[in-house]
Amino acid sequence: TVVDVPSECIGYVTGARRAALGNMEEEWGTLMFFMNKEAMNGGGKGRDRSDRSRGGSEQLAIFGDRRARRGAELKIMSAVETKSPGVFTRGVREKFSSEKGFATDRFVLKDDELSYALGKEGATRKKLELASGAILQYVGHVAFVAGDLKERKRCKQFIDWLLSQRRGSVTVSDIQDRDDCTEMMIPENCKGWVTGNRGSELRRVEQATGTFMFMALDKHGEERLLIFSNNPGSKTGDGGRAHAERMVNEMVQEKLRGDSRGRGRSDSRSRSRRRNSRRR
């Protein structure tokens, strides 16, 4: 895969001592280096590098398997767009492919939607990407979703549900036909404990397990916790829906034990965290 990178963005994309490019290579398992178009065509003789680069671009070659190349390419595009807005998004329209195999969809996000779907230091984008199994990257205000049809649809649906949460309760009624969801009924007196302040406990579980979780209403208006991930997990292993379910069950049992002992919420959780920190 070859990407044209504007000359003024090359230093930003490469990083000091090639650190940024090296990090992307490590993340995606690719090999990347810049080529010179004139050199490739046998031209450019008598022109120094500054003359060739001024106001132009250089080609970045990306080597690896198809999925890895696309992931690295979108990361490069995102970095370039940050440094020089409009390079890859000017005039771009939304596109959804019907291709069952590997392909890329794209759609535009508004300012407030982008901020919410990105999260602090990109945490929300990363969790949606990991839980859906798709490649998700924001290039300016355009969301690019790459993967097979199932992965792309799942990722778009996750983003839609995420953005809907800003407006109130979300209704999800068709989970019986899904193979990427675990449903948990949480006791009423444990819901606040499980979600945490502004969802902090759910975010903690998501980060530890690579899942996407939220409270949602079913078709009867009953609220329950939904755990989404393309990784089902295992009874004892780390990561996936089974791991998230275990963590939530532990929180429920912790709350019920605390209530039975007449202990306050803040005291119980702080003691639990102290016990955990001593184990680390």
Side-chain angles (χ1 to χ4, degrees):
T1 300
V2 176
V3 184
D4 280 318
V5 178
S7 300
E8 66 270 19
C9 300
I10 292 174
Y12 182 74
V13 166
T14 306
R17 297 183 180 180
R18 206 177 174 277
L21 211 57
N23 288 338
M24 281 185 264
E25 288 178 324
E26 186 175 351
E27 178 183 357
W28 290 102
T30 56
L31 171 66
M32 299 189 283
F33 55 83
F34 280 98
M35 305 180 294
N36 177 263
K37 286 185 285 189
E38 283 85 6
M40 288 178 64
N41 295 328
K45 293 181 179 179
R47 299 177 63 194
D48 63 24
R49 181 181 178 88
S50 61
D51 288 336
R52 292 195 306 268
S53 299
R54 191 180 296 118
S57 65
E58 289 196 24
Q59 291 185 317
L60 177 66
I62 305 173
F63 296 89
D65 64 41
R66 185 181 184 184
R67 191 181 188 94
R69 294 197 317 271
R70 188 55 167 153
E73 179 186 13
L74 290 173
K75 189 104 176 184
I76 292 292
M77 289 168 61
S78 179
V80 169
E81 196 72 16
T82 299
K83 183 71 173 176
S84 186
V87 171
F88 292 112
T89 59
R90 190 175 293 114
V92 167
R93 296 181 179 180
E94 294 190 345
K95 184 199 75 171
F96 295 95
S97 173
S98 59
E99 173 64 46
K100 290 185 177 180
F102 191 85
T104 304
D105 295 340
R106 61 176 183 254
F107 51 93
V108 179
L109 296 172
K110 299 175 183 176
D111 284 342
D112 58 333
E113 292 176 335
L114 177 62
S115 176
Y116 197 75
L118 181 61
K120 186 178 181 180
E121 299 180 352
T124 302
R125 180 195 67 79
K126 292 172 186 175
K127 81 173 178 186
L128 295 174
E129 179 178 64
L130 191 57
S132 67
I135 298 168
L136 172 62
Q137 192 60 255
Y138 305 134
V139 181
H141 282 67
V142 182
F144 285 78
V145 181
D148 62 34
L149 184 61
K150 192 172 185 178
E151 291 168 340
R152 299 194 310 272
K153 283 189 171 182
R154 181 190 292 129
C155 189
K156 177 61 166 64
Q157 195 167 43
F158 285 1
I159 293 174
D160 289 342
W161 282 333
L162 177 80
L163 296 177
S164 295
Q165 292 174 45
R166 300 177 306 158
R167 298 186 291 270
S169 299
V170 179
T171 299
V172 180
S173 57
D174 59 349
I175 65 164
Q176 289 77 14
D177 298 326
R178 303 184 68 103
D179 60 2
D180 62 351
C181 180
T182 298
E183 181 182 45
M184 294 187 70
M185 303 305 295
I186 308 298
E188 194 65 36
N189 64 323
C190 297
K191 287 181 179 178
W193 180 261
V194 167
T195 56
N197 182 35
R198 295 183 178 180
S200 59
E201 289 300 305
L202 290 185
R203 304 295 83 80
R204 180 178 66 86
V205 176
E206 286 175 335
Q207 187 172 14
T209 61
T211 56
F212 173 43
M213 305 166 60
F214 58 95
M215 301 295 293
L217 304 177
D218 63 17
K219 60 184 178 181
H220 303 295
E222 295 292 329
E223 189 177 48
R224 78 280 201 222
L225 176 65
L226 299 182
I227 304 171
F228 289 95
S229 177
N230 69 321
N231 176 14
S234 63
K235 289 183 178 180
T236 57
D238 290 340
R241 300 194 309 274
H243 184 196
E245 186 176 11
R246 292 199 309 272
M247 291 184 71
V248 172
N249 277 327
E250 288 171 4
M251 284 194 285
V252 170
Q253 293 305 313
E254 180 184 42
K255 178 65 166 68
L256 294 176
R257 286 195 300 270
D259 286 353
S260 67
R261 294 169 186 169
R263 203 162 58 205
R265 175 190 175 93
S266 59
D267 182 53
S268 178
R269 177 145 280 163
S270 63
R271 289 187 185 185
S272 172
R273 294 289 177 268
R274 287 197 296 270
R275 287 197 302 271
N276 290 337
S277 65
R278 284 197 295 269
R279 293 191 190 112
R280 293 191 185 106

